[in-house]
Amino acid sequence: MLSLGTFFKRHVVIALLAATAFTAGGCGDDEPETIPVVIVTVSGESNLLVGETTTVSALASPADATDQTVTWSSSNPAVATVDNAGVVKGISAGAVAITAKANDGSGVTGAHGITVSDAPIAVSGISITGPDTIQTS
């Protein structure tokens, strides 16, 4: 049977060996290198009508960046909104910047400008009333 002193000595030695292995790189060095995003390029349509939608896309570079996901935002949600999939909806006429920010903590952003226009009014017919002659000057 182990005495209490021998028990503690053995466990202290085991703990010290484990701590030494960890600080010497024996544990924890298996983590892959984190590669940050250095540029985000946003592309898509530049013109949109009120009430319509379009999808913009983001390309985070380099291609081997650890986290290539982005968070979308609109510079003016009263003109156009954007969801987490990059779907932009025209709300009212105006200009807006749609921004993609890298989620890797690098703070890198990319933006794309979109002009939202009022939808044209469809003309269903024209009628002219008045004299049958047209005068030109």
Side-chain angles (χ1 to χ4, degrees), residues 73-107:
S73 64
S74 169
S75 65
N76 190 347
V79 172
T81 58
V82 61
D83 68 11
N84 60 0
V87 177
V88 180
K89 181 175 183 178
I91 304 299
S92 65
V96 66
I98 301 299
T99 301
K101 181 176 182 181
N103 288 332
D104 68 347
S106 65

Side-chain angles (χ1 to χ4, degrees), residues 15-98:
L16 287 173
L17 288 173
T20 303
F22 182 79
T23 57
C27 297
D29 66 328
D30 295 337
E31 294 181 28
E33 178 185 354
T34 299
I35 301 171
V37 170
V38 294
I39 189 168
V40 174
T41 305
V42 181
S43 59
E45 296 293 323
S46 296
N47 296 296
L48 185 63
L49 296 176
V50 171
E52 290 187 342
T53 61
T54 189
T55 301
V56 292
S57 61
L59 177 63
S61 297
D64 59 348
T66 305
D67 182 358
Q68 295 182 337
T69 62
V70 298
T71 299
W72 294 100
S73 64
S74 169
S75 65
N76 190 347
V79 172
T81 58
V82 61
D83 68 11
N84 60 0
V87 177
V88 180
K89 181 175 183 178
I91 304 299
S92 65
V96 66
I98 301 299

Side-chain angles (χ1 to χ4, degrees), residues 2-9:
L2 290 176
S3 70
L4 192 56
T6 304
F7 175 80
F8 282 120
K9 285 180 187 176

